[in-house]
Amino acid sequence: MHPQQVAEVSPQLRALLQLADPHWDLISIYLFRSDLLLLEQNGIPVACLVLQDLGDREYEIKNIAVRADLQGNGLGSRLLREAIRRATAAGARTLLIRTGNSSIGQLYLYQKTGFRIRQIDTDFFIRNYPEPIWENGIRCRDRITLTMDL
Ligand code: ACO
Ligand code: ACO
């Protein structure tokens, strides 16, 4: 995305992106270096995926989100498959995605899609986030990196 497009992101798209990552200042930095995949319903974005070229034939899915009332209908899986297709077509060697230890459903979905756990950054979320994050009754502490060889 061009910086101008980032500045003009609609409130609906912004809310969607913030489902996956509450920090708009961080999102706006990676957005303008990335491709945005969007699924729309009546012209309104309902699901999105941000794909960044990290260089050295490595791509990262920085953000994936589906509007809460539409989750569980296969839209996230569709976006993941499209990201894999695009990264492959662009000549990528590795596709990477990161999440927290407490994101059980996401870890399930990413592994089911073909990603494998490669690295654990212990206490990443404690060091980098001011407020404690809780999910599925578990404290989010560790950042898990999953990768897929393309
Ligand atoms: N908990 C349990 N299971 C889940 C979850 C969850 N949170 N999310 C997906 N699944 C399962 C589904 O049950 C389904 O299982 P099945 O194939 O056995 O039926 C499978 O994963 C695929 O589900 P989809 O319907 O394709 O996924 P969905 O459209 O709901 O999108 C997503 C998944 C993007 C994680 C969505 O739930 C969402 O937007 N969550 C909130 C934002 C978020 O956490 N984003 C990821 C942050 S990490 C990052 O952005 C890199
Ligand atoms: N999937 C999802 N949630 C589970 C699972 C599971 N397989 N097992 C337990 N839970 C959850 C329960 O829902 C419960 O959640 P809650 O506190 O939010 O309500 C919580 O974990 C505690 O459940 P318990 O009822 O205390 O666990 P249970 O008596 O079922 O014992 C065990 C868990 C030992 C894993 C049992 O399911 C089992 O024997 N599974 C088959 C054998 C197995 O996999 N053993 C572990 C192999 S690894 C090892 O041995 C070191």
Side-chain angles (χ1 to χ4, degrees), residues 61-77:
I61 296 170
K62 301 289 290 184
N63 186 306
I64 176 170
V66 174
R67 204 174 72 192
D69 59 318
L70 295 173
Q71 288 173 11
N73 291 300
L75 299 182
S77 302

Side-chain angles (χ1 to χ4, degrees), residues 93-111:
R93 204 169 26 93
T94 311
L95 183 60
L96 190 148
I97 191 162
R98 294 185 158 123
T99 191
N101 61 285
S102 53
S103 295
I104 305 300
Q106 289 80 343
L107 285 166
Y108 161 76
L109 172 60
Y110 303 157
Q111 289 179 85

Side-chain angles (χ1 to χ4, degrees), residues 23-144:
H23 296 93
W24 179 251
D25 43 343
L26 295 180
I27 297 174
S28 57
I29 291 169
Y30 60 66
L31 253 191
F32 87 88
R33 301 198 198 112
S34 306
D35 286 335
L36 177 70
L37 315 189
L38 264 188
L39 296 176
E40 294 184 333
Q41 213 174 56
N42 305 319
I44 294 169
V46 294
C48 68
L49 182 150
V50 178
L51 183 65
Q52 184 173 12
D53 179 356
L54 300 178
D56 200 21
R57 299 179 64 201
E58 196 166 65
Y59 279 63
E60 179 177 350
I61 296 170
K62 301 289 290 184
N63 186 306
I64 176 170
V66 174
R67 204 174 72 192
D69 59 318
L70 295 173
Q71 288 173 11
N73 291 300
L75 299 182
S77 302
R78 224 167 98 191
L79 282 171
L80 286 172
R81 285 196 301 272
E82 177 60 14
I84 294 164
R85 199 192 62 74
R86 288 220 190 174
T88 306
R93 204 169 26 93
T94 311
L95 183 60
L96 190 148
I97 191 162
R98 294 185 158 123
T99 191
N101 61 285
S102 53
S103 295
I104 305 300
Q106 289 80 343
L107 285 166
Y108 161 76
L109 172 60
Y110 303 157
Q111 289 179 85
K112 194 174 173 191
T113 309
F115 289 92
R116 294 190 56 192
I117 293 175
R118 291 281 182 225
Q119 197 190 336
I120 300 174
D121 189 345
T122 306
D123 287 337
F124 174 89
F125 292 98
I126 292 178
R127 287 197 309 276
N128 292 285
Y129 288 77
E131 300 291 329
I133 306 165
W134 288 84
E135 214 181 352
N136 300 307
I138 310 170
R139 175 116 186 238
C140 182
R141 299 168 181 274
D142 311 318
R143 186 173 72 171
I144 300 182

